Amino acid sequence: MKYKGIIVSILVIFCGLLSQGKGFAFRINKGSVKIQLAKGETYNGTVEINNPSQEPLGITVYMNDFLYVAPFTGDKEFYPPDSTEFSLAEWVNFSPRQLTIPPFSEGRVNFMVTPTEEFDSARCGVLFFESAMGVTEEEGEIVNILGRIGTLLCVNPKPGNKKVDFYDIKGSNYEIRGRYKNSGDTFLHTEGTYFVMDNEGMVNDRG
Protein backbone atom coordinates (compact mmCIF):
# COMPACT_ATOMS: atom_id res chain seq x y z
CA MET A 1 0.00 0.00 0.00
CA LYS A 2 1.32 3.48 -0.89
CA TYR A 3 0.89 6.59 1.25
CA LYS A 4 1.41 10.10 -0.03
CA GLY A 5 3.02 12.76 2.07
CA ILE A 6 4.09 10.37 4.82
CA ILE A 7 5.75 12.03 7.81
CA VAL A 8 7.66 9.76 10.15
CA SER A 9 8.26 11.24 13.61
CA ILE A 10 11.16 9.73 15.52
CA LEU A 11 10.61 10.26 19.22
CA VAL A 12 13.68 10.16 21.41
CA ILE A 13 12.69 9.69 25.05
CA PHE A 14 14.58 11.92 27.37
CA CYS A 15 15.86 12.35 30.93
CA GLY A 16 19.53 11.51 30.59
CA LEU A 17 19.53 10.38 26.97
CA LEU A 18 18.76 13.85 25.72
CA SER A 19 21.82 15.64 26.95
CA GLN A 20 24.03 12.97 25.36
CA GLY A 21 22.11 12.79 22.08
CA LYS A 22 24.07 9.75 20.83
CA GLY A 23 23.23 9.01 17.23
CA PHE A 24 20.94 12.02 17.02
CA ALA A 25 21.49 15.13 14.91
CA PHE A 26 21.16 17.68 17.74
CA ARG A 27 21.38 17.86 21.52
CA ILE A 28 19.82 19.85 24.33
CA ASN A 29 21.33 20.65 27.71
CA LYS A 30 18.28 19.98 29.92
CA GLY A 31 16.33 16.73 30.02
CA SER A 32 14.03 17.91 32.80
CA VAL A 33 13.23 20.91 35.00
CA LYS A 34 11.60 20.40 38.42
CA ILE A 35 10.50 23.48 40.35
CA GLN A 36 8.21 24.61 43.17
CA LEU A 37 5.91 27.58 42.63
CA ALA A 38 2.88 29.24 44.16
CA LYS A 39 0.18 31.16 42.30
CA GLY A 40 1.62 34.31 40.73
CA GLU A 41 5.28 33.31 41.11
CA THR A 42 7.46 33.03 38.01
CA TYR A 43 10.32 30.78 36.98
CA ASN A 44 12.52 31.77 34.03
CA GLY A 45 14.66 29.17 32.28
CA THR A 46 16.67 28.56 29.14
CA VAL A 47 17.26 25.44 27.05
CA GLU A 48 20.37 25.36 24.89
CA ILE A 49 20.26 23.44 21.60
CA ASN A 50 23.54 22.30 20.09
CA ASN A 51 23.98 21.71 16.36
CA PRO A 52 27.14 19.58 15.90
CA SER A 53 26.60 19.12 12.16
CA GLN A 54 27.98 20.88 9.11
CA GLU A 55 24.53 22.05 8.00
CA PRO A 56 22.14 24.70 9.37
CA LEU A 57 19.52 23.22 11.67
CA GLY A 58 15.88 24.33 11.62
CA ILE A 59 14.01 23.80 14.90
CA THR A 60 10.29 24.04 15.70
CA VAL A 61 9.40 24.41 19.39
CA TYR A 62 6.03 23.43 20.91
CA MET A 63 4.38 22.21 24.12
CA ASN A 64 2.67 18.89 24.83
CA ASP A 65 1.10 17.37 27.91
CA PHE A 66 2.32 14.02 29.18
CA LEU A 67 1.32 11.45 31.78
CA TYR A 68 3.33 8.67 33.36
CA VAL A 69 1.74 5.27 32.71
CA ALA A 70 1.55 2.07 34.77
CA PRO A 71 3.64 0.43 36.11
CA PHE A 72 5.22 3.89 36.49
CA THR A 73 8.80 3.00 35.63
CA GLY A 74 9.25 6.16 33.56
CA ASP A 75 7.17 5.38 30.45
CA LYS A 76 5.01 8.27 29.26
CA GLU A 77 2.13 9.01 26.94
CA PHE A 78 1.92 12.38 25.17
CA TYR A 79 -1.17 14.48 24.56
CA PRO A 80 -2.10 17.85 23.02
CA PRO A 81 -1.48 20.86 25.27
CA ASP A 82 -4.07 21.60 27.97
CA SER A 83 -5.83 18.25 27.48
CA THR A 84 -4.95 16.41 30.70
CA GLU A 85 -5.83 16.87 34.36
CA PHE A 86 -2.25 17.75 35.28
CA SER A 87 -1.47 20.09 32.36
CA LEU A 88 0.61 23.24 32.87
CA ALA A 89 0.53 24.32 29.21
CA GLU A 90 -1.46 27.49 29.94
CA TRP A 91 1.19 28.59 32.44
CA VAL A 92 4.13 28.34 30.03
CA ASN A 93 5.38 30.98 27.59
CA PHE A 94 8.41 30.34 25.41
CA SER A 95 10.33 32.06 22.63
CA PRO A 96 11.31 31.66 19.86
CA ARG A 97 8.96 29.06 18.39
CA GLN A 98 11.06 28.71 15.24
CA LEU A 99 14.82 29.09 14.97
CA THR A 100 17.68 28.18 12.65
CA ILE A 101 21.01 27.27 14.24
CA PRO A 102 24.19 27.65 12.14
CA PRO A 103 26.62 24.71 11.80
CA PHE A 104 28.64 23.89 14.94
CA SER A 105 26.68 26.47 16.94
CA GLU A 106 24.14 26.73 19.74
CA GLY A 107 20.68 28.25 19.87
CA ARG A 108 18.58 29.15 22.90
CA VAL A 109 14.91 28.92 23.76
CA ASN A 110 13.74 30.94 26.75
CA PHE A 111 10.71 29.83 28.72
CA MET A 112 8.72 31.25 31.61
CA VAL A 113 6.35 29.38 33.95
CA THR A 114 3.75 31.35 35.96
CA PRO A 115 0.87 29.54 37.73
CA THR A 116 -2.27 31.62 37.22
CA GLU A 117 -4.40 29.80 39.81
CA GLU A 118 -4.11 27.95 43.09
CA PHE A 119 -3.22 24.28 42.62
CA ASP A 120 -2.82 21.35 44.99
CA SER A 121 -1.21 18.74 42.75
CA ALA A 122 1.90 18.61 40.59
CA ARG A 123 1.53 19.82 36.99
CA CYS A 124 3.60 18.63 34.06
CA GLY A 125 4.33 19.15 30.38
CA VAL A 126 7.08 18.74 27.82
CA LEU A 127 8.74 21.38 25.67
CA PHE A 128 9.54 19.62 22.38
CA PHE A 129 12.26 20.58 19.90
CA GLU A 130 11.58 19.14 16.46
CA SER A 131 13.65 19.14 13.28
CA ALA A 132 13.67 17.54 9.85
CA MET A 133 16.20 14.70 9.87
CA GLY A 134 16.14 14.10 6.13
CA VAL A 135 14.15 12.31 3.45
CA THR A 136 14.06 8.79 2.09
CA GLU A 137 12.13 6.99 -0.62
CA GLU A 138 9.80 4.08 0.08
CA GLU A 139 7.79 2.34 -2.63
CA GLY A 140 8.26 5.34 -4.88
CA GLU A 141 6.99 7.83 -2.31
CA ILE A 142 9.06 10.52 -0.58
CA VAL A 143 9.11 10.11 3.20
CA ASN A 144 10.05 13.09 5.38
CA ILE A 145 11.75 12.00 8.60
CA LEU A 146 11.27 14.22 11.64
CA GLY A 147 13.07 13.91 14.94
CA ARG A 148 12.17 15.46 18.28
CA ILE A 149 13.61 15.58 21.76
CA GLY A 150 12.21 17.43 24.73
CA THR A 151 12.57 18.93 28.17
CA LEU A 152 10.17 17.69 30.85
CA LEU A 153 8.69 20.49 32.95
CA CYS A 154 7.35 19.54 36.39
CA VAL A 155 5.85 22.16 38.71
CA ASN A 156 5.11 21.16 42.29
CA PRO A 157 2.94 23.33 44.58
CA LYS A 158 4.56 25.33 47.35
CA PRO A 159 5.45 24.42 50.07
CA GLY A 160 4.86 20.84 48.87
CA ASN A 161 3.84 17.73 50.75
CA LYS A 162 5.77 14.51 50.13
CA LYS A 163 3.78 11.60 51.54
CA VAL A 164 3.82 7.88 50.74
CA ASP A 165 1.54 5.13 52.05
CA PHE A 166 2.78 1.50 52.06
CA TYR A 167 0.46 -1.49 52.19
CA ASP A 168 0.16 -5.19 51.27
CA ILE A 169 3.78 -5.82 52.28
CA LYS A 170 4.53 -9.55 51.97
CA GLY A 171 7.77 -11.50 52.15
CA SER A 172 9.02 -14.94 51.13
CA ASN A 173 12.40 -16.67 51.07
CA TYR A 174 13.53 -14.81 47.97
CA GLU A 175 11.51 -11.64 47.59
CA ILE A 176 9.51 -8.89 49.23
CA ARG A 177 6.45 -7.51 47.48
CA GLY A 178 4.28 -4.54 48.33
CA ARG A 179 2.49 -1.49 47.07
CA TYR A 180 2.96 2.17 47.75
CA LYS A 181 0.82 5.17 46.94
CA ASN A 182 1.85 8.77 46.40
CA SER A 183 -0.55 10.46 48.83
CA GLY A 184 1.07 13.90 48.59
CA ASP A 185 0.92 16.72 46.08
CA THR A 186 4.43 16.30 44.61
CA PHE A 187 5.89 14.11 41.86
CA LEU A 188 7.96 11.33 43.40
CA HIS A 189 10.92 9.66 41.69
CA THR A 190 11.75 6.63 43.80
CA GLU A 191 14.49 4.02 43.98
CA GLY A 192 14.59 0.82 46.01
CA THR A 193 17.29 -0.11 48.53
CA TYR A 194 17.63 -3.43 50.34
CA PHE A 195 19.64 -4.79 53.29
CA VAL A 196 20.18 -8.51 53.98
CA MET A 197 20.60 -9.12 57.71
CA ASP A 198 21.52 -12.22 59.71
CA ASN A 199 19.85 -13.52 62.88
CA GLU A 200 22.05 -11.24 65.01
CA GLY A 201 20.96 -8.12 63.16
CA MET A 202 24.22 -7.66 61.24
CA VAL A 203 24.06 -6.50 57.63
CA ASN A 204 25.52 -9.12 55.27
CA ASP A 205 24.61 -7.52 51.95
CA ARG A 206 22.97 -4.44 50.51
CA GLY A 207 22.08 -3.03 47.16
Side-chain angles (χ1 to χ4, degrees):
M1 182 179 295
K2 293 184 178 180
Y3 299 90
K4 271 199 170 177
I6 297 175
I7 296 180
V8 179
S9 180
I10 302 173
L11 175 61
V12 177
I13 303 299
F14 19 71
C15 291
L17 291 179
L18 290 184
S19 56
Q20 299 169 20
K22 293 182 178 179
F24 207 56
F26 63 97
R27 299 187 293 265
I28 62 176
N29 70 331
K30 291 179 181 176
S32 64
V33 176
K34 303 181 185 73
I35 52 179
Q36 276 190 318
L37 292 174
K39 176 184 176 181
E41 293 184 338
T42 295
Y43 175 86
N44 292 288
T46 300
V47 179
E48 296 179 358
I49 309 163
N50 178 262
N51 177 15
S53 73
Q54 304 179 48
E55 303 293 332
L57 176 70
I59 296 287
T60 299
V61 188
Y62 58 93
M63 280 287 301
N64 267 181
D65 289 358
F66 79 88
L67 294 175
Y68 288 106
V69 295
F72 303 109
T73 55
D75 291 339
K76 308 165 189 69
E77 290 181 350
F78 300 97
Y79 301 91
D82 199 30
S83 64
T84 66
E85 178 184 0
F86 302 104
S87 177
L88 57 71
E90 289 190 347
W91 300 350
V92 179
N93 289 298
F94 57 92
S95 179
R97 294 175 182 259
Q98 300 273 350
L99 68 159
T100 300
I101 306 174
F104 307 112
S105 300
E106 289 185 348
R108 292 190 173 193
V109 173
N110 300 309
F111 66 93
M112 180 174 66
V113 184
T114 305
T116 57
E117 60 186 5
E118 301 288 348
F119 63 110
D120 59 5
S121 181
R123 302 293 183 93
C124 58
V126 55
L127 195 60
F128 272 127
F129 307 89
E130 186 174 274
S131 180
M133 296 287 96
V135 297
T136 186
E137 187 171 331
E138 184 175 321
E139 297 182 356
E141 301 291 346
I142 298 298
V143 179
N144 296 316
I145 302 176
L146 302 178
R148 66 178 185 178
I149 52 180
T151 299
L152 298 179
L153 302 179
C154 295
V155 178
N156 293 309
K158 226 177 194 182
N161 176 30
K162 290 185 178 181
K163 182 181 178 183
V164 177
D165 293 325
F166 292 89
Y167 54 98
D168 294 340
I169 306 298
K170 299 176 182 178
S172 67
N173 289 336
Y174 300 104
E175 67 180 8
I176 297 176
R177 289 179 176 269
R179 299 170 66 86
Y180 67 92
K181 177 182 179 180
N182 180 359
S183 304
D185 58 12
T186 300
F187 268 123
L188 296 180
H189 297 270
T190 60
E191 295 181 355
T193 301
Y194 69 83
F195 298 87
V196 179
M197 306 179 72
D198 60 22
N199 292 333
E200 297 179 356
M202 301 297 293
V203 177
N204 288 332
D205 196 7
R206 69 188 69 197

